[in-house]
Amino acid sequence: MYLADRSAPAGAHTDPEPGTGPDPGASPGGPGAGRRARAVAPAVLALGAVSLITDVSSEMVTAVLPLYLVAGLGLSPLGFGALDGLYNGVSALVQLTGGHLADRVRNHKLIAGIGYGLSALCKPLLLFAHTLGPISVILALERTGKGLRTAPRDALISLSTPPESQGRAFGVHRALDTTGALLGPLAAFLILSVAVDGYDAVFGVSACVAVLGVVVLMLFVPSATAPSTKAAPPKAGPPEAPPGTAPPAAGVREALALLRLPRLRALAVCAALLGLTTVSDAFLYLLLQRRTGIAEQWFPLLPLGTAAVFLLLAVPAGALADRIGRRTVFLAGHALLLTGYGLLLWAPARPALPFLVLALHGLFYAATDGVLPAAVAATVPRELRATGLALVGTGQALARFGCSLAVGAAWTLWGTGPALAAASAGLLCCAVVAGFVLRPDPAPGARPDPDPAPDDPPTAGDPAAPAPHRTPRGPR
């Protein structure tokens, strides 16, 4: 299956992914020494700390922005849908550039730092923008920074982690990231409760926290993963480009040629289809507030429910995906989201409804947000890792841009119920298609081995080159 990894049988030797380095915590020569890998690489923890701080800053703004725009500035649902789509669409368009630049200059930390810095610079500008036009420009610039940093950051995580543990590593990072998402709305709520000019106070504190995140990135995140002390097995095709030079397949045309890889193309198509029918967080919280009559002063706390569940289950979900298959966990996450939509549409407006919907929303993120990049990382050679992650992320974010526009238009024309019902029907259809596209595809005449090992990627010179023949392996 495209979204699953499997480990070699007991006793078989597998080389670590080139560039991950030896396991310093393993006992030399002992039985199973190669499996006693360090739980999480220091680079993953450092990037998680940066994301935690940055998300405190970002979510402070995100928590109050829907209500500020709709209730404060009187924006219509269609106008908010366009702005929310812009908020996600700009990030999508820039994400591919960030991934390509990181692979081109061979310095993922540099490109990620530029993205974090740009987002931090935009936060204080919100203090001076009180109309829709300037706010739109500032949000577009802030999302440009997010687009630049996302693929290089995820590439650093995958390059620091053995292939069989990447679901767990991304889960740990997402858990730390979500801790920031949990603290950000809480900070915004407290500031709004005590400050006279609450929105400006939120924007000012957010700017200070964002600067702290950039400082932590510069001081504690390594520029590159540790080089491997073990020779990687030879691969067919042109030799890998030496360090410090652009790889031969790093151009835009060659990067797009990555989509000729069947597994990567399947992931990209399914991520885009599902993103096209996934209602954005801001719309979901507005729908929940309208459906249940939650008072406006409690609105900034709604993201806390999602973040709390995400925080608790991100690591277990990632580890479960490494064990039973990423396809299963990924599709199960969308089934849980569809259940949440059904509750919003048909369940009575009881006091428990917001808790149930937010819990399902958090489960959806725990089962998908780290699992998808872990699956993508297993299909792309390391010298094009950031580009491959950006290709899938760009398609997904552009699809969500379209979904925001469509839901905003449907809400304006038909109301909240029909808009969410249409999105739910679309999500159900797309999930069925994704389950079919991502199904196992064993080779004819061989025992099923739908997931070629991540240490057999196509060569750098030919992204579409098939992986070398491997003996079929059974499930763990």
Side-chain angles (χ1 to χ4, degrees):
M1 62 188 71
Y2 296 108
L3 277 167
D5 286 339
R6 296 185 178 181
S7 51
H13 173 73
T14 55
D15 290 331
E17 184 178 349
T20 57
D23 177 15
S27 303
R35 294 190 180 188
R36 289 201 294 270
R38 180 168 44 194
V40 180
V44 176
L45 294 176
L47 285 165
V50 173
S51 294
L52 187 157
I53 297 169
T54 303
D55 247 36
V56 171
S57 170
S58 298
E59 294 300 323
M60 287 175 66
V61 176
T62 303
V64 302
L65 198 61
L67 201 61
Y68 176 62
L69 294 174
V70 174
L73 300 183
L75 206 61
S76 69
L78 178 58
F80 178 75
L83 188 59
D84 188 60
L86 175 69
Y87 194 66
N88 294 299
V90 170
S91 173
L93 293 174
V94 179
Q95 191 172 153
L96 187 57
T97 302
H100 169 64
L101 286 176
D103 287 333
R104 172 68 68 179
V105 304
R106 292 293 185 94
N107 193 333
H108 298 84
K109 177 182 174 180
L110 173 64
I111 304 303
I114 293 173
Y116 280 109
L118 180 59
S119 292
L121 287 174
C122 290
K123 296 296 182 359
L125 298 179
L126 289 170
L127 291 167
F128 309 102
H130 299 286
T131 58
L132 182 60
I135 289 176
S136 301
V137 173
I138 293 169
L139 292 179
L141 289 173
E142 198 276 336
R143 291 292 93 180
T144 298
K146 179 176 173 58
L148 283 175
R149 70 181 183 250
T150 298
R153 179 204 66 201
D154 285 351
L156 279 170
I157 294 171
S158 70
L159 294 173
S160 303
T161 307
E164 67 275 7
S165 302
Q166 291 197 5
R168 177 182 177 86
F170 276 103
V172 169
H173 173 268
R174 279 3 183 216
L176 290 169
D177 180 89
T178 306
T179 302
L182 190 68
L183 296 175
L186 182 60
F189 172 75
L190 293 175
I191 292 170
L192 287 176
S193 301
V194 301
V196 176
D197 198 354
Y199 290 116
D200 283 350
V202 169
F203 299 151
V205 174
S206 172
C208 297
V209 176
V211 172
L212 177 61
V214 177
V215 172
V216 173
L217 175 75
M218 295 296 106
L219 293 180
F220 297 105
V221 176
S223 296
T225 55
S228 176
T229 58
K230 193 172 188 177
K235 292 183 173 65
E240 185 176 332
T245 63
V252 174
R253 184 172 56 186
E254 291 83 0
L256 292 176
L258 279 172
L259 290 175
R260 290 158 49 200
L261 291 166
R263 288 175 291 141
L264 183 63
R265 185 170 63 246
L267 287 169
V269 169
C270 291
L273 279 176
L274 294 168
L276 193 61
T277 52
T278 300
V279 176
S280 73
D281 295 357
F283 264 125
L284 182 73
Y285 299 142
L286 284 173
L287 287 167
L288 186 58
Q289 194 257 346
R290 299 281 179 96
R291 177 79 166 76
T292 59
I294 295 173
E296 289 186 359
Q297 64 265 29
W298 299 106
F299 184 85
L301 294 182
L302 291 180
L304 291 180
T306 297
V309 176
F310 190 6
L311 172 63
L312 292 173
L313 298 178
V315 177
L320 181 66
D322 287 335
R323 247 189 347 261
I324 70 172
R326 292 165 187 157
R327 169 184 181 267
T328 302
V329 175
F330 184 73
L331 293 176
H334 286 86
L336 292 168
L337 180 65
L338 189 60
T339 303
Y341 290 172
L343 290 177
L344 267 178
L345 283 169
W346 297 300
R350 300 289 176 81
L353 180 60
F355 298 98
L356 289 173
V357 172
L358 294 175
L360 290 167
H361 198 221
L363 282 166
F364 158 70
Y365 275 118
T368 59
D369 197 60
V371 172
L372 179 60
V376 173
T379 70
V380 184
R382 63 178 291 114
E383 63 271 16
L384 289 174
R385 188 66 51 81
T387 304
L389 288 163
L391 281 171
V392 177
T394 296
Q396 184 183 54
L398 285 175
R400 289 181 175 177
F401 168 79
C403 183
S404 291
L405 293 177
V407 171
W411 185 343
T412 302
L413 294 174
W414 307 324
T416 57
L420 185 59
S424 301
L427 180 59
L428 177 61
C429 294
C430 291
V432 171
V433 172
F436 177 79
V437 172
L438 299 176
R439 73 194 187 285
D441 188 18
R447 194 156 52 91
D449 183 18
D451 294 292
D455 57 350
D456 286 340
T459 62
D462 182 9
H469 173 74
R470 294 179 61 87
T471 303
R473 298 176 295 178
R476 185 181 307 180

